[in-house]
């Protein structure tokens, strides 16, 4: 009896080897109602990802710092009004001008004060500092957006890989189950020792546990996508069979490293942070500098009575030049200058760290792309060889040269080869995107290009309603 494996698809049992052979072919996946590719998942993440939303709010808040900095340079105008009710009783007085008795009168006073800073070096420096903050906030937001593209891609590909692992685990479990049934039947007929039955039962239990682990891994991978989009996708698009990796352009690591050190968004943001720290040092040192303000004040005071009797109305207009020279504030200004200088030194150290990390990221991503291309080519050949091995052992099983265990092991090796081949293609896509992220050029068009590598017909994620509600597989 030839060992065969069947896989249930839409209520019909189909040979598992046939299913696995055409797994990556477009147009043969089970049709589902919703199709969500990599680009679609990213667009959902843009609308729903809390991290990106927080970065957008932060940039909007940072933009207000420039308005606040300009407000310290522009004139200010204050209006004030006071009303005073005075009750006065003269008990005795040696001054004949004052008469004994009580008086009760009110006083109204309003004033307008205009202040225009003429010489405030720290405020003008603060305006320049705020402009740099705007540039840094733009870099930070774009860096988070690129990071979201990588996160979406990484989790999407991880979900596809988990789906592959579950498919392979189920197929292998079905093959081992059939082997167990064969071993059980042979034992009952007295054609096989009980050790063969125990071995088959142990293999089946191991494969059942592996299938359960694969279900849990898939559920977790889909929940990871849900963190970004707010919902679990009903279907994922697999890679098309015609997908072929391409070498990076330029096909040398040094140009990528040079571009990354100049254009990487984290590096550019850190560069602006160094400039911010340098500006802060200057602002704190400006605390020792003099200030000069022009102050204009208009005051109107109306009173219904005085000590001398009778009321009055007095208007006063003042124009003042206020000059101030800080002399000593308990050492606070010098201390703040030293603190700002140390923060500047730290920013320079962080910038150097960012440069080194970016260079490492660019090199590792480039080598990852090249290694993935080589692995895809090698594993593709290994997959063909493994399929030939399986066919040979199946033929040998028919001739009595091999046992069913040998065929089972060959099928297991084929599943493993398929999984490694699929993973190598996922690694290539992710490394390609990370390489673009390293040099700061990653954009939505890169995701669109990556999406074109996937089949147009999605593969069902395998999540039941209970799994979606609970976030755990059955």
């Amino acid at each position: 009896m030839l060992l065969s494996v069947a896989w249930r698809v839409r209520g019909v049992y189909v040979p598992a080897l046939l299913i696995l052979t055409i797994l990556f072919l477009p147009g043969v996946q089970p049709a589902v109602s919703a199709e969500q590719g990599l680009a679609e998942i990213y667009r959902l993440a843009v609308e729903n990802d809390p991290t990106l939303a927080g970065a957008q709010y932060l940039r909007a808040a940072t933009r207000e710092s420039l308005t606040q900095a300009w407000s310290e340079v522009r004139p200010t105008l204050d209006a004030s009004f006071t009303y005073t009710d005075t009750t006065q009783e003269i008990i005795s007085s040696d001054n004949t001008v004052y008469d004994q008795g009580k008086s009760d009168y009110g006083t109204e006073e309003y004033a307008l004060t205009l202040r225009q800073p003429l010489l405030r070096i720290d405020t003008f420096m603060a305006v320049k500092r705020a402009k740099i903050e705007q540039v840094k906030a733009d870099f930070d937001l774009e860096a988070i957006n690129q990071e979201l593209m990588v996160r979406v891609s990484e989790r999407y590909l991880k979900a596809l890989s988990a789906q592959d692992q579950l498919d392979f685990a189920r197929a292998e479990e079905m093959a081992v189950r059939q082997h167990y049934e064969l071993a059980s039947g042979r034992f009952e007929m007295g054609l096989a020792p009980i050790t063969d039955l125990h071995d088959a039962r142990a293999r089946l239990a191991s494969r059942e546990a592996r299938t359960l682990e694969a279900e849990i891994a898939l559920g977790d991978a889909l929940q990871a996508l849900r963190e970004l989009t707010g919902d679990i996708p009903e279907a994922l698009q697999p890679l098309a069979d015609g997908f072929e990796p391409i070498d990076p352009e330029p096909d040398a690591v040094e140009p990528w490293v040079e571009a990354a050190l100049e254009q990487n968004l984290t590096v550019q943001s850190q560069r602006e942070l160094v400039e911010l720290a340098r500006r802060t040092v200057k602002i704190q040192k400006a605390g020792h500098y003099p200030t000069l303000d022009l102050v204009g004040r208009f005051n109107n005071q109306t009173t219904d009575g005085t000590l001398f009797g009778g009321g009055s109305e007095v208007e006063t207009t003042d124009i003042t030049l206020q000059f101030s020279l800080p002399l000593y504030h308990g050492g606070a200004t010098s201390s703040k200058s030293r603190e700002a200088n140390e923060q500047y030194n730290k920013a320079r150290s962080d910038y150097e760290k960012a440069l080194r990390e970016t260079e490492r990221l660019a090199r590792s991503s480039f080598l990852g792309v090249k290694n993935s291309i080589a692995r895809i080519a090698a594993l593709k050949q290994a997959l063909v060889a493994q399929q030939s091995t399986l066919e040979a052992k199946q033929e040998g099983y028919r001739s009595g040269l091999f046992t069913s265990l040998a065929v089972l092991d060959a099928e297991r090796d084929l599943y493993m080869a398929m999984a490694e081949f699929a993973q190598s293609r996922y690694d290539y896509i992710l490394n390609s995107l990370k390489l673009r992220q390293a040099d700061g050029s990653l954009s939505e068009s890169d995701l669109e290009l990556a999406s074109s590598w996937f089949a147009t017909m999605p593969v069902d994620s395998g999540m039941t309603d209970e799994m979606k509600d609970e976030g755990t597989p059955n």
Side-chain angles (χ1 to χ4, degrees):
M1 175 181 179
L2 175 64
L3 182 64
S4 62
V5 183
W7 200 357
R8 187 177 180 86
V9 179
R10 288 187 172 272
V12 178
Y13 284 96
V14 182
L17 183 57
L18 176 61
I19 291 291
L20 291 171
T21 303
I22 63 177
L23 180 64
F24 299 111
L25 288 177
V28 298
Q29 309 296 342
V32 294
S33 58
E35 177 180 324
Q36 290 177 296
L38 182 58
E40 287 78 9
I41 293 291
Y42 166 70
R43 282 189 280 270
L44 286 174
V46 169
E47 297 175 0
N48 297 281
D49 180 52
T51 302
L52 181 61
Q56 291 170 338
Y57 294 138
L58 181 60
R59 185 183 68 164
T62 304
R63 290 188 179 278
E64 297 301 322
S65 64
L66 182 58
T67 301
Q68 296 167 17
W70 274 116
S71 69
E72 297 296 325
V73 177
R74 295 167 180 157
T76 60
L77 181 64
D78 296 317
S80 63
F81 174 81
T82 58
Y83 174 80
T84 305
D85 184 73
T86 303
T87 301
Q88 193 173 57
E89 180 179 5
I90 301 177
I91 305 300
S92 65
S93 176
D94 294 334
N95 192 332
T96 57
V97 176
Y98 297 104
D99 192 10
Q100 293 183 356
K102 292 183 177 181
S103 62
D104 190 346
Y105 57 89
T107 302
E108 295 180 356
E109 181 177 4
Y110 64 86
L112 290 174
T113 303
L114 176 67
R115 179 182 295 272
Q116 172 62 61
L118 298 179
L119 179 62
R120 286 186 176 268
I121 298 177
D122 57 339
T123 57
F124 288 101
M125 290 181 175
V127 171
K128 295 181 180 179
R129 186 181 189 279
K131 291 180 179 179
I132 297 173
E133 287 179 338
Q134 307 304 302
V135 177
K136 181 181 182 301
D138 291 338
F139 283 140
D140 289 341
L141 178 60
E142 183 58 29
I144 290 177
N145 186 39
Q146 288 192 1
E147 194 260 341
L148 176 62
M149 294 182 194
V150 173
R151 278 192 295 145
V152 166
S153 303
E154 189 170 19
R155 296 187 185 191
Y156 188 89
L157 295 172
K158 185 175 181 180
L160 280 178
S161 178
Q163 180 68 62
D164 292 342
Q165 293 296 331
L166 178 58
D167 293 340
F168 298 149
R170 285 172 174 171
E172 188 177 6
E173 179 188 343
M174 195 165 294
V176 173
R177 187 178 301 279
Q178 187 164 351
H179 167 70
Y180 169 73
E181 293 172 354
L182 177 64
S184 178
R186 290 174 60 84
F187 173 73
E188 291 176 357
M189 291 185 295
L191 299 177
I194 193 172
T195 54
D196 287 356
L197 180 61
H198 290 331
D199 177 75
R201 183 181 291 115
R203 285 173 177 261
L204 179 59
S206 174
R207 299 311 183 270
E208 289 175 341
R210 184 176 299 176
T211 299
L212 180 60
E213 291 177 359
E215 289 178 349
I216 294 174
L218 176 59
D220 182 69
L222 293 174
Q223 285 294 329
L225 279 176
R226 186 181 192 177
E227 286 183 13
L228 303 179
T229 64
D231 195 12
I232 292 180
E234 294 184 16
L236 303 174
Q237 290 180 341
L239 276 176
D241 184 63
F243 163 75
E244 290 293 339
I246 56 177
D247 288 318
E249 179 60 38
D251 194 8
V253 67
E254 291 306 324
W256 288 97
V257 171
E258 293 174 4
L261 294 178
E262 184 62 30
Q263 301 172 183
N264 179 271
L265 293 173
T266 301
V267 169
Q268 294 189 73
S269 175
Q270 196 63 44
R271 191 180 298 141
E272 296 301 322
L273 188 59
V274 172
E275 183 61 21
L276 281 175
R278 190 177 70 85
R279 294 281 182 178
T280 302
V281 172
K282 291 187 175 183
I283 290 174
Q284 295 301 334
K285 288 182 178 180
H288 295 288
Y289 302 158
T291 61
L292 181 64
D293 294 340
L294 175 65
V295 181
R297 178 180 174 84
F298 171 81
N299 184 79
N300 178 282
Q301 185 180 63
T302 302
T303 181
D304 296 333
T306 66
L307 292 175
F308 299 98
S312 66
E313 181 178 1
V314 180
E315 289 187 354
T316 305
T317 302
D318 298 323
I319 298 179
T320 308
L321 281 175
Q322 290 186 349
F323 176 83
S324 177
L325 178 62
L327 295 178
Y328 182 68
H329 289 172
T333 303
S334 298
S335 176
K336 290 179 180 179
S337 297
R338 292 193 298 270
E339 178 188 13
N341 191 65
E342 295 303 327
Q343 293 289 352
Y344 171 64
N345 291 333
K346 180 183 182 302
R348 292 176 60 188
S349 298
D350 291 343
Y351 175 60
E352 179 62 29
K353 177 184 176 183
L355 286 175
R356 296 179 185 181
E357 289 178 347
T358 299
E359 180 177 358
R360 177 184 59 81
L361 177 62
R363 291 185 183 277
S364 63
S365 299
F366 179 85
L367 295 177
V369 171
K370 298 295 289 184
N371 181 62
S372 297
I373 294 174
R375 278 178 53 80
I376 290 172
L379 291 173
K380 190 173 184 179
Q381 295 297 322
L383 190 59
V384 173
Q386 196 61 50
Q387 176 123 13
S388 299
T389 300
L390 175 60
E391 293 172 354
K393 289 193 175 181
Q394 287 175 332
E395 184 64 30
Y397 178 78
R398 295 189 188 96
S399 305
L401 298 177
F402 294 108
T403 64
S404 61
L405 287 178
V407 178
L408 195 65
D409 290 340
E411 285 195 338
R412 179 202 60 200
D413 293 340
L414 177 60
Y415 302 152
M416 292 177 60
M418 285 182 168
E420 290 181 4
F421 177 65
Q423 187 61 51
S424 67
R425 303 202 301 176
Y426 301 152
D427 291 341
Y428 166 79
I429 295 175
L430 187 58
N431 285 323
S432 296
L433 295 175
K434 285 185 175 181
L435 183 58
R436 291 290 183 185
Q437 181 191 25
D439 81 338
S441 63
L442 181 62
S443 65
E444 190 171 350
S445 62
D446 294 304
L447 287 187
E448 294 287 353
L449 174 61
S451 294
S452 68
W453 297 334
F454 289 81
T456 56
M457 185 67 70
V459 57
D460 192 344
S461 65
M463 293 289 284
T464 65
D465 292 337
E466 291 183 0
M467 293 166 69
K468 291 180 180 179
D469 293 337
E470 299 295 332
T472 56
N474 290 339

